[in-house]
Amino acid sequence: QVQLVQSGAEVKKPGASVKVSCKASGYTITGYYMHWVRQAPGQGLEWMGWIDPNNGGTNYAQKFQGRVTMTRDTSISTAYMELSRLRSDDTAVYYCARDLEVVTATLPDIWGQGTMVTVSS
Amino acid sequence: EIVLTQSPGTLSLSPGEGATLSCRASQSISNNYLAWYQQKPGQAPRLLIYGASNRATGIPDRFSGSGSGTDFTLTISRLEPEDFAVYYCQQYGSSRITFGQGTRLEIK
């Protein structure tokens, strides 16, 4: 079955970077766009962007332009999201989510379990 | 950026009752690319409805979506105990996806 398994919780200091991984199984990673969505404690969902694992193309939310980098390693079916210059308000659960449709960008469908990133001095 | 406003913020109902959740967009959503998600505490969101009215795989038919343009509705008929959760609408008609702030559906 399709599954996305994310890396474990992280604690970072302000100004540092964090890189979260998302390993896909049960399907070919290059067939579906991968979205990243975050959720601050007690807050709503915030879309960060997507990556096309087939060619590495990306589309980032305006808010994260210049601070986020989404990449992938197709040889190990893994997508990555790196966020730099961390601030306390970046404390959140970060989710990867596979797109609903094959080879096109639509919306997140199948989600990983989430990775808690805490930014604290 | 398309802003989505959900109402009400909290809805208190009893099992067996029907629920109506609203989502209003700041501008018309292309192709009615509007989705609904359910999220329970400590869990990832689950896709319920996409394209305004299409149920995702495995979603019970007591969940239905409707609407077009800027006004959309999620209807849950005959609430089950497991339906009490937070519901988010989301638009994917523009190049940048946005979510509503959520409606909490709680047991009365």
Side-chain angles (χ1 to χ4, degrees), chain B residues 23-45:
Chain B
C23 178
R24 175 163 289 179
S26 60
Q27 58 188 275
S28 185
I29 296 176
S30 174
N31 300 117
N32 293 328
Y33 280 169
L34 192 284
W36 292 91
Y37 293 83
Q38 176 194 70
Q39 188 179 33
K40 297 179 181 178
Q43 296 184 16

Short mmCIF file of all heavy atoms in Angstrom, two decimals, chain B residues 23-45:
data_model
loop_
_atom_site.label_atom_id
_atom_site.label_comp_id
_atom_site.label_asym_id
_atom_site.label_seq_id
_atom_site.Cartn_x
_atom_site.Cartn_y
_atom_site.Cartn_z
N CYS B 23 -17.71 27.32 3.40
CA CYS B 23 -16.39 27.83 3.00
C CYS B 23 -16.62 28.87 1.91
O CYS B 23 -17.22 28.57 0.87
CB CYS B 23 -15.53 26.69 2.49
SG CYS B 23 -13.89 27.16 1.90
N ARG B 24 -16.16 30.09 2.17
CA ARG B 24 -16.33 31.17 1.20
C ARG B 24 -14.97 31.67 0.75
O ARG B 24 -14.08 31.92 1.58
CB ARG B 24 -17.14 32.30 1.82
CG ARG B 24 -17.28 33.53 0.93
CD ARG B 24 -18.40 34.42 1.41
NE ARG B 24 -19.71 33.81 1.16
CZ ARG B 24 -20.86 34.37 1.51
NH1 ARG B 24 -20.89 35.54 2.14
NH2 ARG B 24 -22.01 33.77 1.24
N ALA B 25 -14.81 31.83 -0.56
CA ALA B 25 -13.54 32.27 -1.13
C ALA B 25 -13.57 33.75 -1.48
O ALA B 25 -14.61 34.30 -1.81
CB ALA B 25 -13.25 31.46 -2.38
N SER B 26 -12.38 34.36 -1.41
CA SER B 26 -12.26 35.80 -1.68
C SER B 26 -12.38 36.12 -3.17
O SER B 26 -12.61 37.27 -3.55
CB SER B 26 -10.92 36.32 -1.16
OG SER B 26 -9.85 35.63 -1.78
N GLN B 27 -12.24 35.10 -4.00
CA GLN B 27 -12.47 35.22 -5.44
C GLN B 27 -12.87 33.87 -5.99
O GLN B 27 -12.68 32.85 -5.32
CB GLN B 27 -11.21 35.75 -6.15
CG GLN B 27 -9.98 34.92 -5.96
CD GLN B 27 -8.75 35.58 -6.52
OE1 GLN B 27 -8.45 35.45 -7.71
NE2 GLN B 27 -8.02 36.31 -5.69
N SER B 28 -13.44 33.86 -7.18
CA SER B 28 -13.94 32.62 -7.74
C SER B 28 -12.82 31.58 -7.90
O SER B 28 -11.72 31.92 -8.34
CB SER B 28 -14.57 32.89 -9.10
OG SER B 28 -15.16 31.72 -9.61
N ILE B 29 -13.12 30.36 -7.55
CA ILE B 29 -12.13 29.28 -7.62
C ILE B 29 -12.24 28.58 -8.97
O ILE B 29 -13.29 28.07 -9.35
CB ILE B 29 -12.34 28.27 -6.47
CG1 ILE B 29 -12.10 28.96 -5.13
CG2 ILE B 29 -11.42 27.07 -6.63
CD1 ILE B 29 -12.36 28.09 -3.92
N SER B 30 -11.13 28.60 -9.67
CA SER B 30 -11.07 28.03 -11.00
C SER B 30 -11.47 26.56 -11.00
O SER B 30 -10.98 25.77 -10.17
CB SER B 30 -9.66 28.19 -11.55
OG SER B 30 -9.50 27.54 -12.79
N ASN B 31 -12.35 26.19 -11.94
CA ASN B 31 -12.77 24.80 -12.12
C ASN B 31 -13.38 24.18 -10.86
O ASN B 31 -13.45 22.95 -10.75
CB ASN B 31 -11.59 23.93 -12.59
CG ASN B 31 -11.02 24.39 -13.91
OD1 ASN B 31 -9.85 24.78 -13.98
ND2 ASN B 31 -11.83 24.37 -14.94
N ASN B 32 -13.80 25.03 -9.93
CA ASN B 32 -14.34 24.54 -8.64
C ASN B 32 -13.37 23.56 -7.98
O ASN B 32 -13.77 22.54 -7.40
CB ASN B 32 -15.70 23.87 -8.84
CG ASN B 32 -16.76 24.86 -9.25
OD1 ASN B 32 -16.72 26.03 -8.86
ND2 ASN B 32 -17.71 24.41 -10.06
N TYR B 33 -12.09 23.94 -8.02
CA TYR B 33 -11.06 23.11 -7.41
C TYR B 33 -11.02 23.39 -5.90
O TYR B 33 -10.11 24.05 -5.39
CB TYR B 33 -9.71 23.36 -8.06
CG TYR B 33 -9.50 22.66 -9.37
CD1 TYR B 33 -8.41 22.99 -10.19
CD2 TYR B 33 -10.37 21.66 -9.82
CE1 TYR B 33 -8.20 22.35 -11.40
CE2 TYR B 33 -10.17 21.02 -11.03
CZ TYR B 33 -9.08 21.36 -11.81
OH TYR B 33 -8.87 20.72 -13.02
N LEU B 34 -12.01 22.85 -5.22
CA LEU B 34 -12.18 23.05 -3.79
C LEU B 34 -12.25 21.67 -3.13
O LEU B 34 -12.96 20.78 -3.60
CB LEU B 34 -13.46 23.85 -3.52
CG LEU B 34 -13.76 24.43 -2.12
CD1 LEU B 34 -14.22 23.36 -1.14
CD2 LEU B 34 -12.58 25.17 -1.55
N ALA B 35 -11.47 21.51 -2.06
CA ALA B 35 -11.41 20.23 -1.36
C ALA B 35 -11.75 20.42 0.11
O ALA B 35 -11.66 21.53 0.65
CB ALA B 35 -10.02 19.62 -1.50
N TRP B 36 -12.12 19.32 0.74
CA TRP B 36 -12.38 19.30 2.18
C TRP B 36 -11.55 18.19 2.81
O TRP B 36 -11.44 17.09 2.26
CB TRP B 36 -13.85 19.04 2.46
CG TRP B 36 -14.78 20.14 2.06
CD1 TRP B 36 -15.41 20.29 0.86
CD2 TRP B 36 -15.20 21.24 2.87
NE1 TRP B 36 -16.20 21.42 0.88
CE2 TRP B 36 -16.08 22.03 2.10
CE3 TRP B 36 -14.91 21.64 4.18
CZ2 TRP B 36 -16.68 23.19 2.59
CZ3 TRP B 36 -15.50 22.80 4.67
CH2 TRP B 36 -16.37 23.57 3.88
N TYR B 37 -10.99 18.50 3.98
CA TYR B 37 -10.21 17.54 4.75
C TYR B 37 -10.78 17.44 6.16
O TYR B 37 -11.31 18.41 6.71
CB TYR B 37 -8.74 17.98 4.87
CG TYR B 37 -7.96 17.98 3.58
CD1 TYR B 37 -8.03 19.06 2.72
CD2 TYR B 37 -7.14 16.91 3.24
CE1 TYR B 37 -7.31 19.08 1.54
CE2 TYR B 37 -6.42 16.91 2.06
CZ TYR B 37 -6.50 18.00 1.22
OH TYR B 37 -5.78 18.01 0.04
N GLN B 38 -10.60 16.27 6.73
CA GLN B 38 -10.94 16.03 8.13
C GLN B 38 -9.65 15.79 8.90
O GLN B 38 -8.77 15.06 8.42
CB GLN B 38 -11.83 14.79 8.24
CG GLN B 38 -12.19 14.37 9.64
CD GLN B 38 -12.78 12.95 9.64
OE1 GLN B 38 -12.08 11.97 9.40
NE2 GLN B 38 -14.07 12.85 9.92
N GLN B 39 -9.52 16.38 10.07
CA GLN B 39 -8.35 16.12 10.90
C GLN B 39 -8.76 15.84 12.33
O GLN B 39 -9.48 16.63 12.95
CB GLN B 39 -7.35 17.28 10.86
CG GLN B 39 -6.05 16.94 11.56
CD GLN B 39 -5.02 18.05 11.51
OE1 GLN B 39 -5.37 19.22 11.52
NE2 GLN B 39 -3.75 17.68 11.45
N LYS B 40 -8.29 14.72 12.85
CA LYS B 40 -8.51 14.36 14.26
C LYS B 40 -7.23 14.64 15.04
O LYS B 40 -6.14 14.67 14.46
CB LYS B 40 -8.92 12.90 14.36
CG LYS B 40 -10.23 12.62 13.64
CD LYS B 40 -10.62 11.16 13.73
CE LYS B 40 -11.93 10.94 12.98
NZ LYS B 40 -12.34 9.50 13.00
N PRO B 41 -7.35 14.84 16.36
CA PRO B 41 -6.17 15.18 17.17
C PRO B 41 -5.04 14.18 17.01
O PRO B 41 -5.26 12.96 17.06
CB PRO B 41 -6.73 15.17 18.60
CG PRO B 41 -8.17 15.49 18.44
CD PRO B 41 -8.59 14.84 17.16
N GLY B 42 -3.85 14.71 16.77
CA GLY B 42 -2.66 13.86 16.67
C GLY B 42 -2.54 13.11 15.36
O GLY B 42 -1.63 12.28 15.22
N GLN B 43 -3.43 13.37 14.42
CA GLN B 43 -3.40 12.66 13.14
C GLN B 43 -3.18 13.64 11.98
O GLN B 43 -3.44 14.84 12.10
CB GLN B 43 -4.71 11.91 12.90
CG GLN B 43 -4.98 10.80 13.90
CD GLN B 43 -6.24 10.02 13.56
OE1 GLN B 43 -6.75 10.08 12.44
NE2 GLN B 43 -6.74 9.26 14.53
N ALA B 44 -2.72 13.08 10.87
CA ALA B 44 -2.62 13.87 9.64
C ALA B 44 -4.02 14.09 9.07
O ALA B 44 -4.96 13.32 9.36
CB ALA B 44 -1.75 13.14 8.63
N PRO B 45 -4.18 15.13 8.29
CA PRO B 45 -5.48 15.34 7.63
C PRO B 45 -5.82 14.19 6.69
O PRO B 45 -4.93 13.49 6.20
CB PRO B 45 -5.25 16.65 6.85
CG PRO B 45 -4.12 17.31 7.54
CD PRO B 45 -3.23 16.21 8.01
#
